[in-house]
Amino acid sequence: MNPILQTIKNQKIVPLFYNDSFEVSKTIVKALYEAGIRAIEYTNRGAQALENFTKLKAIASTEFPGLLLGIGTVKNIKELDDFVVAKADFIITPIISEELVKYSVEKNVLLIPGCFTPSEVNIAFQNGLRMVKIFPGDVVGKKYVKSIQPLFPEMGFMITGGVSADVNDINEWLSGGVCAVGLGSALVKKDVVAEELTSTVKQLLHQLNTN
């Protein structure tokens, strides 16, 4: 299995966030890293996304060794190309298209596309991808992945949207066939306090790996 996908599966949760401030973004990454997180999705949801991401990648190898820093909310070839140049470890999209999938393969970058239907999952599967993001999770519900998983036994499913930062809720999703959940504002609050975030995530990882 691709080592990035394996890290995501082992971690079970993928924190995702965006902040206009590079310093705040760095503080959040540091807090997550100190809690044991080794795969983070920085979302392309603001004017400073590319600049902040590029700066984070520039310091990651020395300040956060072993961290996989991916970019999310990539919607077109131009954005994908920008973040390939910025050396994103993986790219997550809210949508899927043959064009995006084939371009990611050409650029040799791991793509985790957003899918909603079995037909969309099949586009990913037929092009060699082995993980998709099912989005939005609160719309499809916790039984959805288990229903379609038999069609794609080799595919990993990550759910995003509507997942709470609660071990019982996350375990229900995992029991329903997903291999990981994306956690945004439910985990990384707007008024985040670094020490609290580290403590919360450390406890959550411990609970997920002992249940």
Side-chain angles (χ1 to χ4, degrees):
M1 177 182 290
N2 181 291
I4 296 175
L5 296 184
Q6 190 63 61
T7 297
I8 291 172
K9 287 185 175 185
N10 291 345
Q11 191 170 276
K12 297 187 179 74
I13 62 173
V14 177
L16 56 107
F17 78 97
Y18 167 79
N19 194 286
D20 282 327
S21 164
F22 167 71
E23 290 303 326
V24 172
S25 297
K26 179 183 174 182
T27 297
I28 292 171
V29 169
K30 184 173 186 288
L32 292 168
Y33 184 83
E34 290 181 346
I37 292 294
R38 291 299 179 268
I40 296 172
E41 174 189 344
Y42 194 74
T43 57
N44 181 33
R45 293 192 177 185
Q48 298 300 117
L50 180 58
E51 181 179 341
N52 288 349
F53 184 86
T54 302
K55 289 180 179 178
L56 288 169
K57 278 297 297 179
I59 63 172
S61 61
T62 52
E63 298 199 29
F64 313 114
L67 176 67
L68 297 169
L69 189 61
I71 185 72
T73 324
V74 171
K75 302 180 293 297
N76 55 57
I77 294 294
K78 172 65 168 62
E79 292 174 349
L80 190 150
D81 208 37
D82 284 342
F83 288 102
V84 168
V85 172
K87 297 181 169 55
D89 291 304
F90 56 93
I91 293 177
I92 299 180
T93 63
I95 49 87
I96 186 170
S97 71
E98 290 272 6
E99 185 184 32
L100 279 172
V101 171
K102 292 184 183 304
Y103 195 72
S104 69
V105 172
E106 178 186 322
K107 292 294 182 178
N108 195 32
V109 62
L110 177 66
L111 181 70
I112 302 174
C115 297
F116 191 73
T117 67
S119 294
E120 291 176 339
V121 175
N122 193 52
I123 291 173
F125 186 76
Q126 295 302 328
N127 282 280
L129 304 188
R130 290 299 177 263
M131 184 177 288
V132 296
K133 177 180 79 169
I134 300 296
F135 172 81
D138 51 355
V139 173
V140 298
K142 291 176 179 172
K143 296 180 180 179
Y144 181 71
V145 170
K146 184 170 281 188
S147 298
I148 66 171
Q149 198 171 37
L151 301 174
F152 309 99
E154 298 173 42
M155 182 64 81
F157 294 89
M158 178 168 69
I159 200 88
T160 301
V163 184
S164 69
D166 172 78
V167 66
N168 293 321
D169 188 52
I170 295 170
N171 275 329
E172 285 182 19
W173 285 106
L174 294 172
S175 297
V178 309
C179 61
V181 301
L183 291 174
S185 58
L187 182 66
V188 184
K189 310 291 186 186
K190 189 172 182 180
D191 54 349
V192 60
V193 176
E195 293 80 7
E196 291 179 5
L197 180 59
T198 298
S199 176
T200 296
V201 175
K202 190 177 290 186
Q203 181 180 19
L204 188 56
L205 289 174
H206 176 72
Q207 291 173 324
L208 287 170
N209 288 295
T210 54
N211 285 356

